[in-house]
C-alpha cells in the first residue's frame, strides 16, 4: 500500500452490512483505517468503494456523489421496511397496466422531496430511525430534497406484477422509498424485492472484486495490486499542475495565486499535482487563491 493509501471497490454480497464489509477488509488488509462511500442495506448487493489508509480522507469530499441502481419490485404489497424482508402490512390485486406503471415512475424523475423510511440510518434527536422502528416507535421525519436523474425499465411482467428499473439518482436517495412512492401513486402499494448498486463515486461493477478475491490476493501477498490510487476518485475534477517552487509552497500550506498556476479554471475545486506529476491533494479556489482542502501525501 502506498503512503497515500488506496481504493478498493468491493461487490458487496447479500446479507452483509456495509460495516461488515469494512470490518472484514480491515482484517484482510491488516489496516485499521478503512472507510466506505455510501451505505448499502444488508439485502442489497453491488458497488461499495472502500478507502484505505490516508485515502479515507477522500470519503467526505468525493466530487461524484451520484449513484446508479438496478432495482426489482412487486406491485400490490407493502411492508414496514418498504422491502421484501419486512412484515407485510397490506396486499391487494393491482389494477395497473405497463403504461400506468411507467407513468408513475416518470412522475418521480427530477428534483423531488423524499421522506426517509423508518428503517434507515438517519438520526432523529440523536437516535437512528431503525433503532426506534425495531422498538415499534414511529416518529415524524422531515422530507429531504433528492434528485432522480432517470428511471428506465429493464423488465416488465404485468401478469406477475413485477418490474425492474435502472435508477440514476443523487446521494441520499432511498430506492425502496422511491418504489413505495410508485406504488402509492398507483393506489396499490409496491415493495422492493432486490437491489443492486451498479455505480457509486464514479466506480462501476467492472471495477469491483469480491471479498473472496481480496482474501486470496492477501494470502498471495499481492493485495496492494488491487488498490487504485486515491487520485482516481478525483478524475472528474480539473487538474492544477504546480511547478517545483509552487509544490513546496503548497505542501507547506501556502495559498497560491491561481493566476500563476497551470490549470483550466472550469470550477472552484481542483486535483493538484506536483512538478513531478505526483498527486498531492484537493484544493479550492477562494478569492483568486488556491487553498488546500485535503492533502494526501506526507512528503514535503
Amino acid at each position: 500500500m502506498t503512503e497515500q493509501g488506496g481504493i478498493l471497490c468491493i461487490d458487496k454480497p447479500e446479507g452483509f452490512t456495509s460495516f461488515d464489509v469494512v470490518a472484514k477488509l480491515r482484517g484482510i488488509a491488516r489496516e485499521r483505517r478503512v472507510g466506505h462511500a455510501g451505505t448499502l442495506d444488508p439485502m442489497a448487493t453491488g458497488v461499495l468503494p472502500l478507502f484505505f489508509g490516508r485515502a479515507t480522507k477522500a470519503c467526505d469530499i468525493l466530487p461524484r456523489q451520484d449513484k446508479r441502481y438496478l432495482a426489482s419490485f412487486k406491485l400490490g404489497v407493502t411492508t414496514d421496511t418498504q422491502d421484501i424482508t419486512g412484515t407485510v402490512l397490506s396486499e391487494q390485486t393491482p389494477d395497473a397496466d405497463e403504461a400506468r406503471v411507467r407513468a408513475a415512475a416518470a412522475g418521480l424523475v427530477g428534483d423531488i422531496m423524499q421522506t426517509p423510511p423508518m428503517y434507515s440510518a438517519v438520526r432523529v434527536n440523536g437516535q437512528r430511525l431503525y433503532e426506534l422502528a425495531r422498538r415499534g416507535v414511529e416518529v415524524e421525519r422531515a422530507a429531504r430534497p433528492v434528485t432522480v436523474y432517470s428511471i428506465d425499465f429493464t423488465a416488465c411482467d404485468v401478469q406477475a406484477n413485477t418490474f425492474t428499473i435502472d435508477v440514476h439518482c443523487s446521494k441520499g436517495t432511498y430506492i425502496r422509498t422511491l418504489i413505495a412512492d410508485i406504488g402509492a401513486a398507483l393506489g396499490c402499494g409496491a415493495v422492493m424485492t432486490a437491489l443492486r448498486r451498479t455505480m457509486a463515486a464514479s466506480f462501476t461493477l467492472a471495477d469491483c472484486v469480491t471479498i473472496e478475491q481480496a482474501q486470496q490476493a492477501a494470502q498471495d501477498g499481492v493485495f496492494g495490486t488491487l488498490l487504485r490510487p486515491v487520485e482516481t476518485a478525483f478524475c472528474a475534477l480539473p487538474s492544477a499542475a504546480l511547478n517545483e517552487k509552487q509544490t513546496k509552497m503548497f505542501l507547506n500550506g501556502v495559498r497560491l495565486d491561481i493566476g500563476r498556476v497551470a490549470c483550466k479554471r472550469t470550477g472552484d475545486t481542483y486535483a493538484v499535482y506536483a512538478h513531478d506529476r505526483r498527486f498531492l491533494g484537493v484544493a479550492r479556489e477562494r478569492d483568486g487563491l488556491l487553498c488546500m482542502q485535503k492533502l494526501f501525501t506526507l512528503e514535503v
Side-chain angles (χ1 to χ4, degrees):
M1 192 178 303
T2 68
E3 55 126 0
Q4 293 183 351
I7 303 169
L8 178 65
C9 293
I10 291 290
D11 186 348
K12 188 189 87 66
E14 187 174 356
F16 281 66
T17 66
S18 297
F19 183 76
D20 289 337
V21 177
V22 167
K24 185 79 172 174
L25 267 295
R26 278 177 178 155
I28 290 173
R30 297 183 179 179
E31 169 61 61
R32 180 180 58 82
R33 295 172 298 169
V34 182
H36 69 80
T39 301
L40 282 175
D41 291 337
M43 75 169 285
T45 65
V47 182
L48 182 65
L50 300 183
F51 296 75
F52 293 78
R54 290 180 66 83
T56 56
K57 297 165 65 176
C59 291
D60 60 350
I61 60 168
L62 296 172
R64 285 288 303 272
Q65 298 282 359
D66 58 320
K67 296 176 172 62
R68 198 166 201 127
Y69 298 89
L70 203 59
S72 298
F73 65 93
K74 183 178 178 65
L75 293 181
V77 181
T78 64
T79 70
D80 59 350
T81 60
Q82 299 180 338
D83 61 40
I84 202 65
T85 68
T87 301
V88 174
L89 301 178
S90 68
E91 290 186 88
Q92 61 178 288
T93 301
D95 180 23
D97 58 19
E98 183 177 330
R100 286 189 60 206
V101 178
R102 287 178 177 270
L108 294 169
V109 174
D111 297 327
I112 63 173
M113 297 298 291
Q114 189 180 71
T115 302
M118 278 301 302
Y119 281 88
S120 68
V122 173
R123 289 184 184 273
V124 173
N125 296 325
Q127 289 188 289
R128 300 283 190 185
L129 286 178
Y130 67 78
E131 295 172 344
L132 297 172
R134 287 170 180 167
R135 300 203 301 265
V137 177
E138 182 166 353
V139 297
E140 186 174 344
R141 290 96 67 202
R144 305 185 303 179
V146 298
T147 302
V148 179
Y149 302 109
S150 64
I151 300 178
D152 297 308
F153 282 76
T154 63
C156 301
D157 187 337
V158 178
Q159 295 299 317
N161 298 311
T162 58
F163 303 84
T164 300
I165 51 178
D166 179 354
V167 182
H168 183 200
C169 58
S170 66
K171 175 185 178 180
T173 304
Y174 285 92
I175 304 303
R176 51 199 162 100
T177 300
L178 192 70
I179 286 170
D181 289 343
I182 291 173
L186 294 168
C188 61
V191 65
M192 188 174 74
T193 56
L195 182 66
R196 184 159 177 76
R197 187 157 69 192
T198 58
M199 189 271 287
S202 78
F203 299 107
T204 68
L205 287 169
D207 301 312
C208 292
V209 300
T210 64
I211 293 176
E212 291 76 17
Q213 288 172 323
Q215 176 76 68
Q216 187 61 55
Q219 291 174 356
D220 295 340
V222 293
F223 180 83
T225 64
L226 297 180
L227 296 180
R228 296 170 179 271
V230 65
E231 65 194 82
T232 58
F234 301 103
C235 59
L237 294 178
S239 61
L242 309 184
N243 59 35
E244 188 170 1
K245 180 179 179 181
Q246 290 169 335
T247 296
K248 292 179 180 177
M249 293 171 66
F250 183 80
L251 290 175
N252 281 295
V254 177
R255 299 178 178 185
L256 304 176
D257 180 349
I258 197 165
R260 297 175 179 272
V261 173
C263 64
K264 291 183 179 180
R265 299 178 69 175
T266 57
D268 63 357
T269 306
Y270 297 84
V272 183
Y273 292 84
H275 62 285
D276 56 5
R277 298 185 179 181
R278 284 180 298 128
F279 175 67
L280 300 179
V282 177
R284 295 181 68 89
E285 178 185 354
R286 294 173 186 161
D287 300 323
L289 298 176
L290 193 65
C291 310
M292 183 190 300
Q293 185 179 16
K294 287 287 178 71
L295 190 66
F296 291 95
T297 183
L298 292 172
E299 186 177 341
V300 178

